[in-house]
Amino acid sequence: MNPITTAPPPTLFTPTPDNWKLAIMIGLIVAVLAMILLPPAVSFWSVGAMAAMVAASFVVNAYRRYYYGGLLVAPAIAVLVVMNIFPLLWSLGLSFFAYQSNQQTIRFVGLANYIKVLADELKAPENWANLTNTAMFVVLTVTTQMIMGFLLALMFAKQFPLRKYLLILVLTPMMLSVVAAGVFFSYYYDPTFGLLSYFIRIFSGQQFILMDNKAGAVAGIVFADAWMWSPFVMLLVLAGLVSVPKYLYEAAAIDRVSGWRQFWSITFPYIRGLLMLALLFRTIEAFKMADLVILLTKGGNGTMTISYHLIRIANEQNKTSEGAAISYVMLFIVIVLTNLYLYIANRRTVEPAHE
Amino acid sequence: MSETASMWEKLGFRKASGVSEAGWGQTLFAGLISLIYFLPVLLIIITSFKLQTEALAIPPKFIPTHLFGLIPDAYVFTPTLENYTSVFSRSMTAGAAAENTGFDRYFFNSIVIASVSVFLALIIGTLAAFGFSRYPLKGNDTYLFVILTTRMLPAIVVIIPVILMFRITGLSGSYLGIIMLYTAFNLPFTIWMMKSFFDELSLDVEDAARLDGSSDVKVFFKICLPQVIAGLAATFVFGLILTWNEFLFALLLTGVDTRTVPVGMSQAVAGGGIGVLWGLLAAIETLFLIPVFFVTFFLQDHLLRGVTFGTVKR
């Protein structure tokens, strides 16, 4: 669809704004010189300026060549590389060293951290147990959220009086700060002055302690998390549901298609993508669950998650590199899982995504 | 099309596509469910008007009036605004004079940091999503997957390199640093979300516009963007909510001047060693809830309008 230009590519030494090869060369030279000669704070910014120059020449080049894809994506990639990917690679590097953030020494140990985390007789069983707990939380919370969110979305998919005001009530839990939500759930679950135990005491006459066994503790955490994040699923599903063109339903009504069939062949294709997105992001977030566990049980009664364990190791015990190793094991698991999701999602697509 | 104009159309509401009508019966049902769902938040709001002794009373005092003698004394509390004033100024040690707690500053910081970073992420992310959707690069899916990967690790892993990086560059404790970090934090979701909306649009209208001589820039602004308003609104709301309540990065990377409310809140909860001050915490949370609540409320119409512009589906 774009006109193909036949402008000759610039040779290496023509100083035009779109000559990115020249820009990279100058950038590299200045960057290396700056890193050797200047103090770190100054050299960081001059290297940054050089990177910006190279980026600008890429932009001009791409624009002249109608290479819009690269142009549009570049700013996002740049921000992510500086703020996310670079620190991630840094901590990946740290996972191969023996390093503690409260000590000055750093020593290369190869895969020793990973071996310690995965196979050490003392530490590995704990890690595996935490990982199993995390998997349990992921399955329980994500399933609950998907079901609750979907049902809530179905409830709000119709137009009815006051819908707007009721919907905002359901969305509110998501807006709470997790600190406040967690602290207040511990207040509701409290055996002496909590509401839950108060109401149960009315019926059973005995003091009720939710958190004193594993099932109760897990249920308490899962409930709080599902309550907070079901609105997220609901909103995504709802956005899909209201985007279904009405004439499809009208046509189906004329053909007397059953409700079940209508759902699978009309509604579902419209919400499949958004359902997948909700599933993906909730699974990723559930894998990282730590805040609620810290606030509600402090990891007791078999509710320790790998993410909370990681915070303890990396933050409280300052074992930076061991923490990095654990998190990369986690990353591996999440990547396998998401690829599985995406594979299933793409396989189910009947028509290919348009190019 | 229905023959009779509904109450909504009479009132000037445009009917969103695919949304069918239901009456007050549905309102009653949905209202019941919504209220049950809202109950824990309602209890927080009620607690914010109680003194500490009333907050811990058994049986719980849950209503501020007697309702003409219907409710027994044990369940009634006297509402007070003391918690709200002590959010902003209270005596830190017993017997000392009241001093400024700095929460006015924290609220200002939260608003600036969250809104700027979410807007930035929305602009950059929407452009990128459009690029990924309409002008696929070589290895498009790989880029998208790597972008998603950045959200997969717990924040604690990234935090140590980021702290070192910020210390070297002098960004720690500055607005610029935390805003950049939050922009990056919001980008993956923005890109994935907006891409799924752009993917849903029909290409026919765009192609027709191009044949009529519209430039690519014009096609983006005049045809694609208006169709994804719902997506933009939803993404903005999600980004705002996540950034608004983000805790770990804020705890470790903001200075005294740039501290946000969640950090201040956790300090207020922990402070004093006399247990949680329930009323105070509830008051902070209630105040903190108000801005997001209203932003969400006003964006809701867009959120639910759906794609009504071009429904010539592929």
Side-chain angles (χ1 to χ4, degrees):
Chain A
M1 66 187 82
N2 298 317
I4 294 152
T5 47
T6 50
T11 55
L12 186 52
F13 293 107
T14 8
T16 53
D18 65 337
N19 190 346
W20 54 271
K21 285 176 188 160
L22 183 64
I24 282 186
M25 270 181 54
I26 298 173
L28 272 181
I29 293 166
V30 176
V32 169
L33 282 178
M35 279 199 276
I36 296 168
L37 297 175
L38 298 170
V42 185
S43 86
F44 178 87
W45 289 109
S46 48
V47 171
M50 283 300 115
M53 189 190 85
V54 175
S57 72
F58 265 106
V59 166
V60 175
N61 185 294
Y63 186 74
R64 291 207 177 149
R65 264 152 236 293
Y66 297 93
Y67 185 59
Y68 290 134
L71 212 57
L72 289 168
V73 167
I77 299 280
V79 172
L80 281 172
V81 165
V82 174
M83 286 291 160
N84 261 333
I85 295 172
F86 177 63
L88 279 179
L89 291 179
W90 191 331
S91 60
L92 176 65
L94 279 181
S95 73
F96 296 110
F97 287 83
Y99 172 70
Q100 300 207 349
S101 58
N102 56 353
Q103 287 169 11
Q104 292 294 321
T105 54
I106 182 162
R107 185 166 51 87
F108 183 76
V109 290
L111 287 171
N113 283 321
Y114 288 93
I115 294 167
K116 200 196 284 177
V117 164
L118 289 174
D120 186 86
E121 276 177 23
L122 287 172
K123 291 187 172 166
E126 198 192 342
N127 288 329
W128 288 113
N130 294 336
L131 211 55
T132 324
N133 282 339
T134 309
M136 173 188 73
F137 276 121
V138 169
V139 171
L140 289 176
T141 57
V142 175
T143 318
T144 323
Q145 282 163 15
M146 295 299 286
I147 294 171
M148 275 170 72
F150 191 80
L151 291 178
L152 285 171
L154 283 184
M155 188 172 85
F156 281 106
K158 299 187 186 92
Q159 184 64 274
F160 54 84
L162 304 182
R163 173 194 190 217
K164 202 175 152 177
Y165 301 94
L166 296 178
L167 187 64
I168 191 82
L169 292 187
V170 175
L171 288 180
T172 318
M174 192 170 65
M175 302 172 201
L176 292 179
S177 154
V178 73
V179 178
V183 173
F184 265 92
F185 264 95
S186 73
Y187 170 64
Y188 300 148
Y189 293 157
D190 193 281
T192 49
F193 53 82
L195 281 173
L196 184 71
S197 87
Y198 172 75
F199 282 115
I200 288 178
R201 200 160 43 211
I202 290 176
F203 295 112
S204 71
Q206 291 167 349
Q207 194 181 40
F208 176 74
I209 307 171
L210 177 71
M211 294 290 187
D212 71 343
N213 55 23
K214 180 162 179 171
V218 170
I221 293 170
V222 168
F223 179 78
D225 194 62
W227 175 75
M228 265 188 97
W229 292 106
S230 294
F232 175 88
V233 180
M234 179 198 75
L235 210 49
L236 283 182
V237 175
L238 200 55
L241 285 178
V242 298
S243 72
V244 183
K246 211 178 174 188
Y247 65 82
L248 289 179
Y249 287 123
E250 283 157 3
I254 290 168
D255 292 344
R256 300 212 176 126
V257 178
S258 70
W260 184 247
R261 183 74 205 286
Q262 235 182 62
F263 174 78
W264 281 111
S265 37
I266 301 174
T267 317
F268 189 69
Y270 274 86
I271 58 171
R272 191 188 53 214
L274 289 163
L275 267 180
M276 218 56 217
L277 203 67
L279 190 64
L280 203 62
F281 274 87
R282 281 325 303 161
T283 307
I284 290 174
E285 294 297 315
F287 245 95
K288 300 195 288 190
M289 183 158 79
D291 318 14
L292 278 175
V293 178
I294 295 173
L295 292 163
L296 288 175
T297 64
K298 301 216 163 48
N301 283 333
T303 54
M304 191 75 183
T305 63
I306 191 81
S307 187
Y308 181 25
H309 183 63
L310 184 62
I311 290 178
R312 275 195 178 167
I313 283 186
N315 203 30
E316 288 161 26
Q317 304 174 12
N318 289 311
K319 290 176 183 163
T320 312
S321 48
E322 199 181 315
I326 291 184
S327 61
Y328 274 88
V329 174
M330 266 177 83
L331 182 67
F332 177 75
I333 296 169
V334 183
I335 284 183
V336 170
L337 209 63
T338 25
N339 264 317
L340 206 67
Y341 277 0
L342 292 174
Y343 171 76
I344 294 169
N346 289 334
R347 202 184 46 146
R348 291 288 291 271
T349 314
V350 183
E351 49 198 342
H354 47 235
E355 297 296 313
Chain B
M1 296 292 124
S2 57
E3 302 84 21
T4 49
S6 75
M7 169 192 144
W8 292 94
E9 283 159 296
K10 276 184 207 153
L11 286 172
F13 284 83
R14 193 155 58 134
K15 226 196 291 181
S17 57
V19 176
S20 54
E21 302 273 329
W24 285 93
Q26 180 82 5
T27 306
L28 205 65
F29 173 68
L32 195 68
I33 305 257
S34 307
L35 269 183
I36 293 171
Y37 207 82
F38 186 67
L39 203 61
V41 184
L42 190 66
L43 288 171
I44 294 181
I45 297 172
I46 289 175
T47 310
S48 74
F49 294 104
K50 289 183 190 172
L51 294 172
Q52 181 77 353
T53 46
E54 288 177 324
L56 294 176
I58 295 190
K61 298 171 181 288
F62 56 86
I63 197 160
T65 75
H66 287 272
L67 280 181
F68 313 110
L70 276 176
I71 313 270
D73 251 357
Y75 299 103
V76 179
F77 68 94
T78 23
T80 169
L81 284 176
E82 199 188 300
N83 292 316
Y84 286 93
T85 50
S86 62
V87 170
F88 295 104
S89 104
R90 67 173 182 276
S91 53
M92 292 300 187
T93 49
E99 51 184 312
N100 190 347
T101 53
F103 260 93
D104 44 354
R105 183 71 198 241
Y106 301 164
F107 272 98
F108 173 77
N109 289 336
S110 268
I111 291 171
V112 170
I113 292 172
S115 52
V116 172
S117 57
V118 174
F119 264 114
L120 267 179
L122 202 60
I123 295 168
I124 299 175
T126 307
L127 288 178
F130 190 70
F132 281 127
S133 175
R134 292 296 189 277
Y135 307 98
L137 304 166
K138 249 182 251 165
N140 210 33
D141 291 347
T142 317
Y143 281 107
L144 279 167
F145 194 74
V146 170
I147 287 173
L148 190 63
T149 312
T150 59
R151 275 308 293 274
M152 288 177 191
L153 281 177
I156 190 82
V157 189
V158 199
I159 207 89
I160 290 157
V162 170
I163 289 173
L164 295 174
M165 203 166 86
F166 274 26
R167 207 174 284 159
I168 291 170
T169 53
L171 280 174
S172 61
S174 70
Y175 284 113
L176 180 68
I178 193 81
I179 286 174
M180 286 293 288
L181 193 70
Y182 279 160
T183 308
F185 171 83
N186 277 323
L187 268 177
F189 182 71
T190 311
I191 293 173
W192 273 75
M193 181 97 174
M194 289 317 297
K195 183 181 177 287
S196 77
F197 276 97
F198 281 128
D199 282 348
E200 287 299 316
L201 298 186
S202 97
L203 288 176
D204 304 352
V205 189
E206 284 167 48
D207 289 344
R210 281 211 185 79
L211 284 179
D212 289 345
S214 296
S215 68
D216 288 330
V217 178
K218 205 170 172 187
V219 166
F220 175 69
F221 281 108
K222 289 275 153 85
I223 291 170
C224 297
L225 220 46
Q227 292 184 78
V228 292
I229 293 282
L232 285 172
T235 315
F236 181 82
V237 168
F238 286 137
L240 186 70
I241 287 169
L242 285 180
T243 318
W244 191 247
N245 293 317
E246 206 286 327
F247 177 65
L248 192 62
F249 286 132
L251 177 68
L252 297 172
L253 294 171
T254 53
V256 185
D257 293 336
T258 54
R259 186 162 295 155
T260 57
V261 177
V263 182
M265 198 192 306
S266 74
Q267 286 165 347
V269 171
I274 42 167
V276 179
L277 296 168
W278 297 104
L280 180 70
L281 175 66
I284 299 172
E285 179 53 51
T286 308
L287 284 177
F288 194 50
L289 190 63
I290 291 170
V292 223
F293 185 86
F294 279 102
V295 170
T296 313
F297 186 72
F298 288 122
L299 282 177
Q300 218 185 5
D301 281 346
H302 292 293
L303 221 64
L304 295 181
R305 186 157 298 148
V307 187
T308 49
F309 181 75
T311 39
V312 200
K313 184 91 170 101
R314 10 179 201 282

